[in-house]
């Protein structure tokens, strides 16, 4: 972009009136909900960002005012104030009242920011109750005001003077409540995007402040000299990187700027985000394709050349090389073509080559200059490759249903009925409770699967590891549904899957582990209501030959109150410590018998809560996890399962 090109007001062409915008706001800003409301902010901020990209603006401030109006301030050149030859009005007024009156349409230097390419000011004006613009330029302060959808009520005038070098644009607008469903901005949504814009435009200082909040006096300020490298660092917070330095590569061709930053971590997820002109390209496109193609090729070439990948080894796939990769791709393009239903994919074919070139040259160089890191990256991809093959094999085995058959039948005490509609399976904590359950059950319809110890934490392990875990394999085989791509709910062998664990911390832990397993790998069985929790009693109240079991303290009190005084005084109350304490008949009567038991159906919501507990426990250290579970035992109990 040329920094010294003088802006000529005649560049602006008059295209359309503002009434059209008010009639069909959706056409211009998508929606009129809170998203549309936020959109207005970005349209104005985009003009400041354009000014920053042109090299004239360093600071942008966004303020949510008490009356739900928004102020955006920048220290750019200030919107031109001279008279526009076509409209015979000031250029500021033209920019704010004539649709499509942005620099781009006049051919005066391109805009690379997103949104409506810097033409959004008039759209914002059309959809506002009022707008005020102040321009600092030529040692003067200019002012103009619009009302009710862009009608000029005070044309541009000087309202004062300012210091010699002070320039900039201040805009305040109040969205029209007749147009929008809401006028309440969400600070955190705005903050996330402001932070993202700071990452994507290195060195630009962005501040967001909430004047609706008396306590917020300073707001939040972001400035990242490292740009998208710092974005990668931000995303990798709390993860363990496998190489210290973030790889940052950039290049330019024919006015198209391309930039990528990346770092591998020890996890298994890929976090790749791409942007074109600061807009997230959710569906990728040529910039992403170029990088991904080059990434796979360069890693394979390097691994072969250095004999890390042997001749007999299969080549690494795109999936393998993306495992544990955090990557930000940013492209700034003067004429981007967005494709797809949501316009979330970049279509410009020349970018594929630019991305491939810039990335492959830079990444190759990095690998050559950092052999230790290179080795770690290649080995990480090779592990992913092995895991992928192992998972495939395991899936095939689970499909055939012959997982460690001998061991399997040693564990599962299946029911006699082969009719899933009447069959149920109890997953029981511990061998001893498993023994009682086996004796006390109705063997026609009830199967018992005792779990030894705890099952593997699936949150922290890949599918292939999970499939190597004995307890999990047994569960999969017992269910009969297969797993992953192979999952088939119609093959489920039991109508009810009943988790039966003690009402203590360990029991809670096992329940959470099982729910996470079901949620991750067998979600439809939860969604279709096949999963239940048994409700073993908490108290046994005995008097004479009568034995009464109750589930809660309240039930206990209620029952005691209902007894005649003399019996109540002699009643024995025992707190049931665990399933193992009950004899088979007792267990059957209280917890398993279809006639007398209480079951609680597990919902997806229970699993989401269990999952949230897990996400808090993501770390590799056992100690915080133990501590959390002890502390949160109450919470886990509150899952009431
Ligand atoms: C708070 C909103 O709009 N800043 C802003 C806008 C412009 C300029 C500078 C600017 C651009 C150019 C030359 C140019 C705009 N100017 C126009 C138009 N902040 C905000 N800051 N001089 C100043 O593009 O050549 C549209 S936006 F069309 F008048 F040039």
């Amino acid at each position: 972009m040329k920094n010294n090109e003088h802006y000529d007001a005649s560049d602006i062409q008059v295209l359309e009136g503002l009434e059209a915008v008010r009639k069909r706001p959706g056409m211009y800003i998508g929606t009129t909900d809170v998203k549309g409301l936020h959109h207005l902010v970005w349209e104005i901020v985009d003009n400041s960002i354009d000014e920053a990209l042109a090299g004239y603006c360093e600071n942008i401030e966004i303020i949510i005012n008490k009356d739900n109006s928004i102020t955006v301030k920048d220290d750019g050149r200030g919107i031109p104030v001279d008279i526009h030859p076509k409209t015979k009005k000031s250029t500021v007024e033209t920019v704010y009242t004539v649709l499509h009156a942005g620099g781009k349409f006049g051919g005066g230097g391109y805009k690379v920011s997103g949104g409506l390419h810097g033409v959004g000011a008039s759209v914002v004006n059309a959809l506002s109750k009022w707008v005020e613009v102040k321009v600092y330029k030529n040692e003067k302060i200019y002012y103009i005001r619009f009302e009710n959808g862009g009608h000029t009520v005070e044309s541009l005038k000087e309202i004062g003077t300012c210091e010699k070098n002070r320039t900039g644009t201040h805009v305040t607008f109040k969205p029209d409540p007749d147009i929008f469903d809401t006028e309440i901005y969400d600070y955190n949504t705005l903050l996330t995007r402001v932070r993202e814009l700071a990452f994507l435009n290195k060195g630009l200082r962005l501040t967001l402040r909430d004047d609706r909040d008396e306590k917020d006096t300073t707001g939040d300020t972001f400035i990242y000299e490292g740009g998208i490298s710092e974005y990668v660092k931000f995303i990798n917070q709390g993860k363990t990187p496998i190489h210290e330095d973030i790889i940052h590569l950039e290049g330019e061709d024919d006015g198209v700027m391309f930039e990528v930053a990346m770092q591998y971590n020890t996890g298994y997820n890929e976090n790749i985000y791409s942007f074109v002109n600061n807009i997230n390209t959710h569906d990728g496109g040529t910039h992403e394709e170029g990088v991904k193609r080059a990434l796979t090729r360069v890693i394979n070439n390097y691994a072969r050349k250095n004999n890390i990948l042997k001749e007999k080894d299969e080549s690494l796939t795109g999936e393998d090389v993306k495992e544990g990769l955090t990557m930000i791709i940013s492209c700034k393009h003067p004429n981007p073509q967005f494709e797809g239903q949501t316009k979330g994919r970049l279509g410009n074919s020349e970018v594929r080559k630019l991305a491939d070139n810039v990335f492959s040259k830079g990444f190759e160089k990095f690998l050559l200059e950092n052999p230790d890191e290179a080795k770690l990256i290649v080995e990480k991809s090779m592990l992913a490759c092995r895991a992928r093959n192992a998972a495939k094999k395991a899936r095939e085995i689970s499909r055939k249903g012959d997982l460690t058959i001998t061991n399997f039948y040693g564990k599962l005490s299946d029911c006699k009925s082969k009719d899933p509609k009447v069959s149920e399976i109890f997953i029981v904590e511990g061998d001893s409770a498993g023994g009682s359950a086996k004796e006390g059950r109705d063997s026609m319809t009830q199967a018992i699967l005792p779990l030894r110890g705890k099952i593997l934490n699936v949150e922290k392990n890949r599918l292939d590891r999970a499939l190597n875990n004995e307890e999990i394999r047994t569960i999969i085989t017992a269910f009969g549904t297969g797993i992953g791509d192979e999952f088939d709910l119609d093959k489920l062998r039991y109508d009810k899957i009943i988790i039966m664990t003690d009402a203590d911390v360990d029991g809670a832990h096992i329940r959470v582990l099982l729910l996470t397993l079901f949620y991750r790998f067998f979600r439809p069985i939860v969604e279709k209501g096949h999963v239940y929790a048994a409700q073993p009693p908490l108290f046994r109240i005995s008097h004479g030959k009568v034995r009464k079991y109750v589930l809660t303290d309240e039930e206990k009190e209620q029952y005691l109150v209902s007894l005649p005084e003399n019996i109540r005084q002699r009643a024995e109350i025992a707190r049931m410590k665990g399933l193992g304490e009950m004899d088979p008949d007792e267990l059957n009567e209280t917890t398993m018998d279809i006639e007398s038991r209480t079951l609680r159906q597990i919902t997806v919501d229970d699993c989401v809560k269990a999952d949230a507990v897990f996400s808090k426990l993501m770390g590799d250290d056992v100690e915080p996890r133990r501590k959390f579970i002890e502390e949160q035992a109450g919470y886990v109990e509150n899952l009431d399962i």
Side-chain angles (χ1 to χ4, degrees):
M1 196 167 304
K2 298 176 202 106
N3 286 0
N4 55 359
E5 208 168 61
H6 179 69
Y7 181 82
D8 182 347
S10 72
D11 284 0
I12 295 171
Q13 290 162 7
V14 176
L15 291 175
E16 246 190 281
L18 299 186
E19 201 41 41
V21 182
R22 287 180 69 79
K23 277 207 185 105
R24 313 179 89 184
M27 290 250 308
Y28 297 85
I29 55 161
T31 57
T32 52
D33 56 9
V34 66
K35 237 179 138 178
L37 191 72
H38 289 163
H39 200 123
L40 300 186
V41 182
W42 308 129
E43 287 301 341
I44 300 299
V45 171
D46 270 349
N47 288 343
S48 302
I49 300 246
D50 274 337
E51 189 64 359
L53 288 167
Y56 298 104
C57 159
E58 290 174 359
N59 298 285
I60 301 174
E61 205 179 329
I62 304 159
I63 302 145
I64 310 172
N65 300 305
K66 267 204 164 59
D67 63 350
N68 289 316
S69 65
I70 293 277
T71 300
V72 182
K73 301 179 184 175
D74 71 43
D75 60 354
R77 286 168 292 179
I79 304 178
V81 292
D82 48 352
I83 296 296
H84 187 275
K86 271 219 182 98
T87 61
K88 310 282 188 260
K89 290 174 179 155
S90 68
T91 304
V92 194
E93 182 169 352
T94 309
V95 167
Y96 271 79
T97 53
V98 180
L99 205 58
H100 285 162
K104 180 183 164 164
F105 286 78
Y110 60 70
K111 306 283 184 186
V112 296
S113 81
L116 301 169
H117 312 284
V119 301
S122 57
V123 170
V124 173
N125 199 10
L127 300 176
S128 291
K129 196 74 197 144
W130 54 263
V131 176
E132 284 178 349
V133 183
K134 274 188 207 158
V135 175
Y136 295 75
K137 216 178 167 79
N138 319 322
E139 290 174 56
K140 295 191 182 84
I141 308 170
Y142 302 87
Y143 171 89
I144 183 167
R145 181 176 165 98
F146 311 91
E147 279 178 18
N148 293 323
H151 299 276
T152 312
V153 290
E154 288 183 63
S155 27
L156 196 73
K157 61 179 180 196
E158 287 175 37
I159 55 161
T161 56
C162 65
E163 311 87 273
K164 193 159 181 256
N165 292 322
R166 170 132 189 223
T167 58
T169 308
H170 296 191
V171 175
T172 302
F173 64 93
K174 165 101 174 150
D176 191 337
D178 293 341
I179 303 265
F180 292 93
D181 319 336
T182 173
E183 42 176 1
I184 313 299
Y185 291 93
D186 181 56
Y187 188 79
N188 285 324
T189 307
L190 294 178
L191 189 74
T192 304
R193 176 63 176 159
V194 167
R195 186 197 291 120
E196 183 167 89
L197 284 169
F199 282 129
L200 291 169
N201 299 282
K202 71 174 116 201
L204 178 61
R205 176 183 282 106
L206 285 137
T207 299
L208 177 65
R209 201 178 75 211
D210 194 347
D211 280 358
R212 297 171 305 182
D213 176 0
E214 309 265 283
K215 279 174 261 143
D216 181 8
T217 50
T218 54
D220 291 286
T221 297
F222 303 101
I223 174 166
Y224 299 107
E225 296 300 342
I228 57 172
S229 275
E230 293 199 55
Y231 205 171
V232 168
K233 198 160 132 197
F234 179 78
I235 295 169
N236 271 350
Q237 256 171 19
K239 302 189 172 86
T240 314
I242 66 169
H243 53 102
E244 197 178 329
D245 293 335
I246 293 164
I247 304 167
H248 193 145
L249 312 164
E250 55 194 319
E252 198 246 88
D253 185 37
D254 205 15
V256 182
M257 284 173 293
F258 171 84
E259 204 183 352
V260 55
M262 65 186 264
Q263 188 184 42
Y264 282 94
N265 63 65
T266 55
Y268 308 121
N269 298 325
E270 72 168 81
N271 284 300
I272 301 179
Y273 302 99
S274 63
F275 299 84
V276 174
N277 299 349
N278 297 327
I279 306 167
N280 192 323
T281 30
H282 291 280
D283 304 321
T286 49
H287 53 334
E288 251 190 67
E289 285 158 23
V291 173
K292 287 178 178 172
R293 191 172 69 178
L295 176 71
T296 313
R297 190 181 66 239
V298 170
I299 292 193
N300 272 298
N301 284 349
Y302 181 89
R304 294 262 181 229
K305 258 197 205 128
N306 293 277
N307 215 27
I308 310 174
L309 204 58
K310 306 276 185 303
E311 212 170 305
K312 62 173 181 14
D313 291 332
E314 65 172 301
S315 290
L316 303 165
T317 67
E319 290 306 308
D320 300 335
V321 298
K322 283 185 299 190
E323 202 181 89
L325 175 63
T326 300
M327 179 183 259
I328 302 289
I329 300 165
S330 173
C331 175
K332 304 244 165 84
H333 200 294
N335 186 26
Q337 304 298 313
F338 292 105
E339 296 178 340
Q341 276 221 314
T342 54
K343 301 276 172 217
R345 187 174 66 237
L346 182 69
N348 303 60
S349 64
E350 79 282 2
V351 179
R352 193 183 285 109
K353 209 165 144 210
L354 172 66
D356 187 321
N357 276 343
V358 172
F359 184 82
S360 55
K361 281 207 188 83
F363 188 47
E364 223 164 62
K365 185 161 175 274
F366 172 87
L367 294 178
L368 286 173
E369 287 171 359
N370 302 276
D372 294 341
E373 281 85 350
K375 194 157 171 261
L376 287 173
I377 292 170
V378 173
E379 279 169 356
K380 163 111 192 154
S381 301
M382 287 171 72
L383 260 175
C385 174
R386 242 171 268 148
R388 180 171 50 81
N389 285 329
K392 196 168 138 207
K393 240 179 247 151
R395 270 202 303 276
E396 279 162 11
I397 295 169
S398 95
R399 184 172 26 179
K400 287 189 207 126
D402 61 353
L403 288 169
T404 50
I405 292 285
T406 44
N407 216 334
F408 173 68
Y409 285 109
K411 277 188 173 170
L412 177 79
S413 304
D414 211 351
C415 53
K416 294 201 186 80
S417 169
K418 294 286 164 255
D419 179 5
K421 280 200 281 305
V422 299
S423 304
E424 40 191 51
I425 181 168
F426 284 81
I427 303 179
V428 188
E429 172 184 359
D431 271 337
S432 81
S436 306
K438 198 173 152 186
E439 266 185 66
R441 69 177 171 149
D442 172 358
S443 63
M444 194 59 210
T445 57
Q446 296 184 319
I448 307 294
L449 180 62
L451 288 183
R452 283 196 198 98
K454 292 187 180 161
I455 61 164
L456 184 82
N457 176 352
V458 289
E459 166 82 35
K460 294 202 316 187
N461 293 281
R462 289 200 202 88
L463 182 59
D464 71 302
R465 278 278 302 279
L467 287 165
N468 275 333
N469 177 270
E470 275 289 322
E471 311 290 335
I472 291 179
R473 286 157 68 101
T474 313
I475 290 171
I476 297 167
T477 311
F479 286 4
T481 53
I483 193 166
D485 318 340
E486 310 290 337
F487 183 88
D488 182 357
L489 187 64
D490 291 338
K491 297 215 177 99
L492 185 61
R493 295 175 59 236
Y494 309 95
D495 181 63
K496 292 191 174 65
I497 294 157
I498 304 167
I499 302 172
M500 191 157 75
T501 54
D502 288 336
D504 59 11
V505 172
D506 280 339
H509 191 192
I510 291 174
R511 284 198 296 278
V512 170
L513 284 165
L514 281 170
L515 291 194
T516 308
L517 172 74
F518 294 167
Y519 186 55
R520 300 264 160 138
F521 293 156
F522 303 98
R523 194 167 301 179
I525 67 169
V526 182
E527 285 168 346
K528 294 278 185 249
H530 291 289
V531 182
Y532 295 82
Q535 309 263 68
L538 203 56
F539 297 103
R540 178 180 56 216
I541 307 162
S542 336
H543 47 89
K545 284 202 171 129
V546 180
R547 286 201 284 179
K548 170 77 180 171
Y549 301 92
V550 293
L551 291 178
T552 62
D553 269 309
E554 293 88 74
E555 273 184 57
K556 181 189 72 182
E557 292 308 321
Q558 265 173 19
Y559 180 72
L560 287 173
V561 169
S562 76
L563 292 175
E565 174 81 37
N566 60 332
I567 297 180
R568 178 164 60 228
Q569 272 166 5
R570 272 179 285 132
E572 269 177 50
I573 303 163
R575 198 186 168 90
M576 317 285 278
K577 290 215 189 63
L579 298 165
E581 266 186 23
M582 285 187 264
D583 61 42
D585 287 344
E586 218 174 5
L587 186 61
N588 179 46
E589 185 190 335
T590 60
T591 318
M592 296 174 69
D593 183 16
I594 296 178
E595 299 297 325
S596 52
R597 73 186 179 195
T598 332
L599 289 184
R600 174 155 144 33
Q601 195 170 37
I602 300 296
T603 62
V604 172
D605 196 45
D606 293 321
C607 292
V608 171
K609 280 185 192 151
D611 216 60
V613 172
F614 254 100
S615 299
K616 290 213 178 79
L617 306 176
M618 273 283 281
D620 289 324
D621 296 340
V622 177
E623 207 28 54
R625 187 159 57 249
R626 266 212 71 79
K627 242 171 124 181
F628 181 87
I629 287 176
E630 273 164 22
E631 281 165 16
Q632 296 290 313
Y635 168 71
V636 177
E637 297 297 328
N638 285 342
L639 286 177
D640 196 12
I641 43 177

